[in-house]
Amino acid sequence: MLQKESVKVLDVRPALSQSYMDSSEKQKALYKRTLFVVSISQIFGGAGLAAGVTVGALLAQQMLGTNAFAGLPSALFTLGSAGAALFVGRLSQRFGRRTGLTAGFMIGGLGAIGVIIAAIINSIFLLFASLLVYGAGTATNLQARYAGTDLANPKQRATAISMTMVFTTFGAVAGPNLVNVMGNFALSIGVPSLAGPFILAAAAYILAGVVLFTMLRPDPLVIARMIESTNIKSRDHLATTEQTESKRGIVVGATIMVLTQIVMVAIMTMTPVHMRHHGHDLGSVGLVIGFHIGAMYLPSLVTGVLVDKLGRTVMAIASGVTLLFAGLLSAFAPGDSMVLLVIALSLLGLGWNFGLISGTALIVDSTKTSTRAKTQGKVDVLIALSGAAGGAMSGMIVAGSSYLTLSFIGGIFSLLLIPVVIWSRREK
């Protein structure tokens, strides 16, 4: 039985919706169109999220004059993304993906504008408040991966997730590598150079919202929910189409993503500060972070196929092992070695990619369309909060000890993924 909050969207344009319900060919066409539209929005969304990752810690360090709180920007925009994930999930549940994702990207764009203003007037309070709002773009960019799965069959869900994520690479890699360009542009218009990437972020997030608002029609979640509702009412299809919710699957999928998020955010956040301490310029920082973000998203097409073919469990274990190597290499690589830092951060991104796609596929497998968006929003809240904790603790660990200690702890912590997935298999 569908929840009341989802009924409102089921009555929108019934004739159009019915045409999709009656035609499997139209459903396939809508599935492909949805992947295309979401992929385009992900290009802009990727460019938007790269700003905070690349220069957020450096901006805070410059304004505060200390390293102890350099991880705070990452903590703030990931904390903001937690609230936004819940908001976008509930909005999508009630009105569809188009409304939820559009609102999230627009709010993220406003947050990026706030960061620019904070840098101009040198206001720490406004910076922190704006970073919270900016986090909405991060949450929305992440939740967009679910839109591609709404009309996907069970054997292609991970592939659908990966197809939307891979397009994030184009914007996410371009963003960090435009740090110097945007910094120079910012200086030319009287804005501090470190705020330059947030100019790009503001434009990118707003454009992503515009793309989704104008092109994501009809809404894939609305159509998928109507199809499920009709099939459940049909006695002939009840035995084959009704999907049950698996709480254990949701817990395991969420745990995989939470652990990978903590490790990835903690090490990634302090890498720019670590590099600056060893004499690397802003362009080098952008290059390393560009490789890192590229590794987070570019392997997605292959990862999705592997998750669908080899299984969620195998790829979750691969995530833990990859993150272990990333942490150890980050810990023991010489600070002045660009090559080793690029490899370490690329492995960090790849391990996160394995964990996110396998965990996301588990969440989709374990939910019903009638409650899926709200559940996905709740899970992404946990992911965002874990990222906030990782970002906040990273600066304190480095200030109290070293980057080596942070990376080593992160690598060892990632091994917790293995007992989690072993437990999930034993319970079956």
Side-chain angles (χ1 to χ4, degrees):
M1 184 174 181
L2 295 180
Q3 294 186 349
K4 290 182 179 179
E5 60 187 349
S6 66
V7 171
K8 186 171 183 176
V9 296
L10 298 182
D11 296 326
V12 177
R13 302 179 71 181
L16 176 62
S17 299
Q18 189 64 45
S19 70
Y20 281 94
M21 293 167 62
D22 294 339
S23 171
S24 60
E25 291 302 315
K26 293 196 72 171
Q27 290 173 26
K28 290 178 182 178
L30 179 58
Y31 166 67
K32 292 179 180 179
R33 174 180 168 79
T34 298
L35 287 180
F36 173 76
V37 173
V38 174
S39 296
I40 296 301
S41 74
Q42 290 290 81
I43 296 175
F44 295 116
L49 70 87
V53 171
T54 308
V55 299
L58 298 175
L59 185 59
Q61 181 190 36
Q62 183 182 82
M63 294 177 70
L64 291 168
T66 177
N67 290 334
F69 299 100
L72 197 54
S74 177
L76 285 169
F77 68 70
T78 48
L79 184 61
S81 73
L86 191 62
F87 170 73
V88 172
R90 289 185 176 276
L91 204 61
S92 297
Q93 181 73 38
R94 186 173 179 81
F95 299 106
R97 299 286 186 194
R98 174 173 168 260
T99 300
L101 296 177
T102 297
F105 274 129
M106 291 298 184
I107 293 170
L110 292 176
I113 292 172
V115 171
I116 298 165
I117 296 172
I120 293 173
I121 65 177
N122 197 34
S123 170
I124 293 295
F125 175 78
L126 181 58
L127 173 68
F128 289 167
S130 298
L131 284 168
L132 280 169
V133 179
Y134 168 78
T138 306
T140 308
N141 197 71
L142 195 58
Q143 280 209 27
R145 74 194 188 280
Y146 289 118
T149 68
D150 289 329
L151 293 169
N153 66 55
K155 293 183 178 180
Q156 62 180 178
R157 284 170 177 162
T159 303
I161 295 163
S162 64
M163 287 182 69
T164 57
M165 284 181 60
V166 75
F167 280 88
T168 306
T169 309
F170 298 107
V173 172
N177 287 290
L178 290 173
V179 165
N180 280 335
V181 174
M182 294 307 300
N184 292 334
F185 172 73
L187 287 173
S188 71
I189 59 174
V191 175
S193 62
L194 287 177
F198 285 95
I199 298 175
L200 174 64
Y205 277 158
I206 291 171
L207 281 172
V210 170
V211 167
L212 290 166
F213 183 76
T214 56
M215 298 178 66
L216 197 61
R217 307 181 188 204
D219 194 288
L221 181 59
V222 175
I223 300 299
R225 199 149 52 207
M226 293 186 72
I227 292 170
E228 182 182 73
S229 176
T230 300
N231 287 339
I232 288 175
K233 291 176 182 177
S234 171
R235 295 291 181 183
D236 295 333
H237 295 89
L238 183 58
T240 58
T241 59
E242 187 172 11
Q243 185 179 356
T244 58
E245 185 168 279
S246 169
K247 291 183 179 180
R248 177 164 49 84
I250 293 171
V251 169
V252 174
T255 302
I256 291 169
M257 291 189 284
V258 163
L259 290 175
T260 55
Q261 186 78 357
I262 291 173
V263 175
M264 187 276 291
V265 171
I267 297 175
M268 174 200 67
T269 296
M270 294 311 297
T271 296
V273 176
H274 172 68
M275 290 182 66
R276 294 288 271 179
H277 282 167
H278 286 83
H280 296 283
D281 60 22
L282 205 56
S284 297
V285 173
L287 181 64
V288 170
I289 295 300
F291 270 98
H292 166 67
I293 297 179
M296 288 172 64
Y297 295 100
L298 190 57
S300 293
L301 281 177
V302 175
T303 303
V305 173
L306 291 175
V307 172
D308 280 334
K309 298 292 185 182
L310 301 180
R312 282 59 163 149
T313 299
V314 171
M315 295 307 295
I317 293 174
S319 171
V321 174
T322 306
L323 290 172
L324 171 64
F325 282 112
L328 294 178
L329 187 56
S330 296
F332 297 108
D336 58 355
S337 174
M338 275 289 293
V339 174
L340 290 180
L341 284 172
V342 165
I343 295 172
L345 269 290
S346 296
L347 286 174
L348 186 69
L350 182 63
W352 177 86
N353 179 273
F354 289 168
L356 185 77
I357 294 181
S358 58
T360 300
L362 272 170
I363 296 297
V364 178
D365 292 343
S366 305
T367 54
K368 299 182 293 184
T369 57
S370 57
T371 58
R372 182 169 295 158
K374 187 168 67 173
T375 301
Q376 289 163 345
K378 290 178 180 178
V379 170
D380 278 5
V381 169
L382 295 177
I383 297 171
L385 289 175
S386 64
M393 289 187 297
S394 65
M396 296 178 185
I397 291 173
V398 171
S401 181
S402 65
Y403 179 78
L404 184 154
T405 301
L406 171 69
S407 299
F408 184 78
I409 291 173
I412 299 301
F413 188 68
S414 66
L415 291 180
L416 289 174
L417 284 172
I418 296 176
V420 168
V421 296
I422 291 175
W423 167 80
S424 70
R425 290 185 65 84
R426 285 180 177 176
E427 287 289 308
K428 289 182 179 180

